[in-house]
Amino acid sequence: MERYAVFSTAFSSFTRTSLHFQSRPTSFSTTIKPAFFPILHAPPPLISTHHCLSVLTQLTKPCKPFKTRSSSEDNRITEPSKYHLQGAKIVPLVLSISTGLIIHFVIPKPDEVTDQAWQLLSIFVSTISGLVLSPLPVGAWAFLGLTTTILTKTLTFSEAFSAFANEVIWLIVISFFFARGFVKTGLGDRIATYFVKWLGKSTLGLSYGLTLSETLIAPAMPSTTARAGGIFLPIIKSLSLSAGSMPNDPSAKKLGSYLVQSQFQCAGNSSALFLTAAAQNLLCLQLAEELGVVVGDPWVEWFRVASLPAFVSLLVGPYILYILYPPEVKDTPDAPAMAAKKLDLMGPVTSNELVMIGTMLLAVSLWVFGDIIGISSVLTAMIALSILLLTGVLEWEDCLNEKSAWDTLAWFAVLVGMASQLTNLGIVTWMSNYVALFLTSFSLSWPAAFGVLQATYFLIHYMFASQTGHVGALYPAFLAMHLAAGVPGVLSALALAYNTNLFGALTHYSSGQAAVYFGTGYVDLPDIFRIGFIMACINCTIWAIVGGFWWKFLGLY
């Protein structure tokens, strides 16, 4: 009886605990077993008159005097530390600023470099260091770097903000809104569920179904992170839990660990297959164009050059992981039935999904053939977004709430603007010539120099927590080194861009999707590093051998 009183009082309508439960989403009621409801809704127990009198007696007793705390004692407790810095993390802040100061004041300036260029380089390196060490969020730190360029009169206001009008950056931003439409309408979830229904009788088939569905969605959903978190992770978790594979538990190896690793490792190849499958792809071509490397008919050329090595990697990737990192559950006979049930619950294709399909087909068609009729890639994205807004598939509030898009606009524009000015001021040319002379001293042919530079560009990503940050920091310099070493321009530009997608699965921090998949609790940190390195070697080998023959056939070299 006492236990009953405790529970009923705790969940009465006059307690904080009850208010807390009342504020929970309505789905709470569906997660609690019916047997628990009598306790929740039972009336409070009757309290005797004797008990009430005893309580009143206690309340009417005179209060004992209490000792007041001195003002100095209060200040010692309530006042924050005088030396506590709100906002920025002190150690990363000092290290980030120090790198720029060392370049500017300690390292001697080369004679062939102007004072303005050297000063901009120091600010740029300090900005990049902050992107790696994170004293502040990425957008905030980039804004500080932009402010510093104007404050020190390194750049004028118009020069500093010139990249905010860059077409490619706005294409990336609009692509985030387009990806939101896939998630909001449920179209991406529906497509992936169909593949599970068709191929999901075995664990290996399930992996191939998820991989193929991502490849199909990728060209019209230009965010690997959005595809991971908005579509494929919920499906993987649902399938894993149904098979008794729990996160942060030894049972994770039954199914969940393999599916997460497979989807994670194959996502880089699907992102590398299409120009519009990842934001960093568009940024790479923009930076290449600033160095004089122009890829004609970019969407078609990108796909043509990437097609064979990417398809080979997508076909063998899940099987290789099946051998290296085998799941304990080999057959999943219930998965197709679960998928079919989910499709029944989803009902017929909605009008919003039909609009999304039509818009997707229109966008991809214009990305492929738009140059012929004079419609650029960014205009295509604007047309697609306008259709979604006019039809109500997306609301303007959806765009305003897409914080990652606006954050990307801020720091992408800063990095692109600084990199462009460094190119204009001759810093990139100076660095590339210096490295080219160093490579020449070893008597390396351009294929050997190509291999060394590509491997270096790839492995340096262990120091980066963002693919786009890596591109903004190093892509122009490495492309210039390739050109100085005699590597064909289009081959250099595209190979570095493909590389940028492949190293997204190296570590748990190497990309946005890496953080999403690692956060599931299905993969251990040592396995992330071990499998990431092994699959990186396998993917790079496939791209080097298959891609090398394919690119020779296409006449890139």
Side-chain angles (χ1 to χ4, degrees):
M1 186 58 128
E2 292 179 359
R3 185 177 302 172
Y4 174 81
V6 170
F7 273 101
S8 59
T9 305
F11 289 100
S12 70
S13 59
F14 304 100
T15 62
R16 293 182 180 180
T17 309
S18 175
L19 291 175
H20 169 70
F21 274 88
Q22 291 174 16
S23 65
R24 307 279 289 190
T26 54
S27 59
F28 169 78
S29 62
T30 62
T31 60
I32 304 298
K33 294 182 178 180
F36 194 60
F37 281 105
I39 298 177
L40 291 179
H41 299 288
L46 295 176
I47 304 175
S48 65
T49 304
H50 175 74
H51 179 69
C52 292
L53 289 174
S54 65
V55 171
L56 289 173
T57 303
Q58 294 295 326
L59 291 174
T60 54
K61 284 184 178 180
C63 298
K64 293 181 180 180
F66 57 92
K67 183 180 178 181
T68 60
R69 189 175 281 136
S70 65
S71 59
S72 60
E73 191 175 357
D74 285 340
N75 290 338
R76 186 179 70 248
I77 294 174
T78 60
E79 285 186 358
S81 173
K82 295 180 180 179
Y83 300 99
H84 178 67
L85 182 63
Q86 296 286 339
K89 302 172 186 175
I90 297 179
V91 174
L93 176 66
V94 172
L95 291 176
S96 300
I97 295 176
S98 297
T99 55
L101 294 176
I102 289 172
I103 290 176
H104 191 271
F105 293 105
V106 178
I107 299 177
K109 180 183 73 67
D111 295 334
E112 58 269 36
V113 176
T114 65
D115 292 337
Q116 180 189 11
W118 195 249
Q119 186 163 291
L120 180 59
L121 177 63
S122 65
I123 298 173
F124 180 73
V125 172
S126 182
T127 303
I128 294 301
S129 300
L131 297 183
V132 175
L133 299 174
S134 299
L136 284 172
V138 172
W141 185 253
F143 183 78
L144 291 181
L146 185 69
T147 304
T148 304
T149 62
I150 302 174
L151 181 65
T152 58
K153 298 183 178 180
T154 307
L155 298 174
T156 64
F157 185 89
S158 58
E159 288 173 338
F161 279 85
S162 60
F164 282 85
N166 187 288
E167 288 188 2
V168 172
I169 293 175
W170 279 102
L171 174 58
I172 294 169
V173 172
I174 296 173
S175 297
F176 276 97
F177 304 149
F178 203 56
R180 189 179 183 92
F182 264 88
V183 177
K184 183 179 179 181
T185 61
L187 177 61
D189 194 14
R190 185 184 294 274
I191 293 173
T193 305
Y194 267 114
F195 275 94
V196 171
K197 178 182 177 181
W198 296 332
L199 301 174
K201 292 184 178 180
S202 67
T203 302
L204 186 59
L206 196 59
S207 175
Y208 275 110
L210 294 172
T211 300
L212 292 175
S213 59
E214 175 162 12
T215 304
L216 180 64
I217 295 170
M221 192 172 183
S223 171
T224 315
T225 306
R227 296 197 299 269
I231 295 177
F232 294 99
L233 185 58
I235 293 176
I236 290 173
K237 289 180 69 175
S238 176
L239 292 169
S240 301
L241 292 174
S242 68
S245 182
M246 313 297 291
N248 301 307
D249 187 81
S251 63
K253 296 293 179 69
K254 283 186 176 181
L255 183 63
S257 297
Y258 168 73
L259 290 181
V260 167
Q261 282 280 22
S262 177
Q263 197 68 17
F264 177 37
Q265 294 298 330
C266 292
N269 289 291
S270 59
S271 296
L273 182 58
F274 302 101
L275 174 61
T276 52
Q280 64 268 11
N281 297 347
L282 302 159
L283 182 60
C284 287
L285 290 195
Q286 173 64 32
L287 295 174
E289 187 173 338
E290 292 177 359
L291 287 173
V293 181
V294 179
V295 179
D297 199 1
W299 203 96
V300 175
E301 185 67 7
W302 179 289
F303 175 78
R304 189 171 69 101
V305 175
S307 57
L308 188 59
F311 281 131
V312 172
S313 295
L314 287 169
L315 287 175
V316 304
Y319 181 76
I320 291 175
L321 276 167
Y322 193 78
I323 303 299
L324 293 176
Y325 198 68
E328 295 176 2
V329 174
K330 308 296 183 183
D331 297 314
T332 53
D334 296 333
M338 288 180 58
K341 184 177 180 180
K342 181 178 179 179
L343 289 171
D344 290 338
L345 291 174
M346 294 176 72
V349 178
T350 64
S351 58
N352 282 350
E353 288 178 277
L354 290 174
V355 172
M356 198 70 213
I357 292 172
T359 308
M360 177 188 71
L361 294 176
L362 174 64
V364 173
S365 299
L366 288 177
W367 278 325
V368 175
F369 304 109
D371 287 344
I372 300 175
I373 58 177
I375 297 180
S376 64
S377 297
V378 66
L379 181 55
T380 296
M382 294 172 68
I383 293 171
L385 178 60
S386 298
I387 293 173
L388 297 180
L389 290 171
L390 285 170
T391 56
V393 174
L394 283 179
E395 298 176 357
W396 185 241
E397 187 176 354
D398 294 322
C399 300
L400 294 177
N401 290 333
E402 193 65 38
K403 295 180 180 179
S404 57
W406 302 114
D407 184 55
T408 300
L409 170 65
W411 69 278
F412 257 38
V414 173
L415 286 181
V416 172
M418 287 189 182
S420 177
Q421 293 298 327
L422 285 173
T423 302
N424 294 338
L425 294 173
I427 282 287
V428 174
T429 303
W430 167 74
M431 292 178 61
S432 62
N433 289 337
Y434 184 83
V435 174
L437 289 174
F438 177 76
L439 295 173
T440 304
S441 65
F442 289 95
S443 300
L444 294 178
S445 61
W446 78 255
F450 174 78
V452 170
L453 290 172
Q454 289 286 333
T456 304
Y457 181 78
F458 191 98
L459 293 174
I460 286 177
H461 195 65
Y462 276 108
M463 300 172 58
F464 281 85
S466 165
Q467 291 166 288
T468 48
H470 188 135
V471 170
L474 298 178
Y475 183 89
F478 269 83
L479 178 56
M481 294 175 200
H482 279 74
L483 299 177
V487 184
V490 174
L491 174 64
S492 303
L494 292 179
L496 284 172
Y498 299 146
N499 232 341
T500 302
N501 290 283
L502 298 181
F503 59 47
L506 267 180
T507 66
H508 64 299
Y509 58 83
S510 58
S511 60
Q513 65 269 22
V516 169
Y517 283 124
F518 177 69
T520 61
Y522 277 105
V523 285
D524 298 327
L525 193 58
D527 288 335
I528 283 282
F529 276 87
R530 179 175 62 88
I531 298 299
F533 180 78
I534 294 174
M535 290 304 297
C537 293
I538 292 172
N539 280 321
C540 288
T541 301
I542 292 173
W543 279 80
I545 296 175
V546 177
F549 284 108
W550 179 239
W551 300 334
K552 179 67 174 177
F553 174 77
L554 294 177
L556 292 184
Y557 66 93

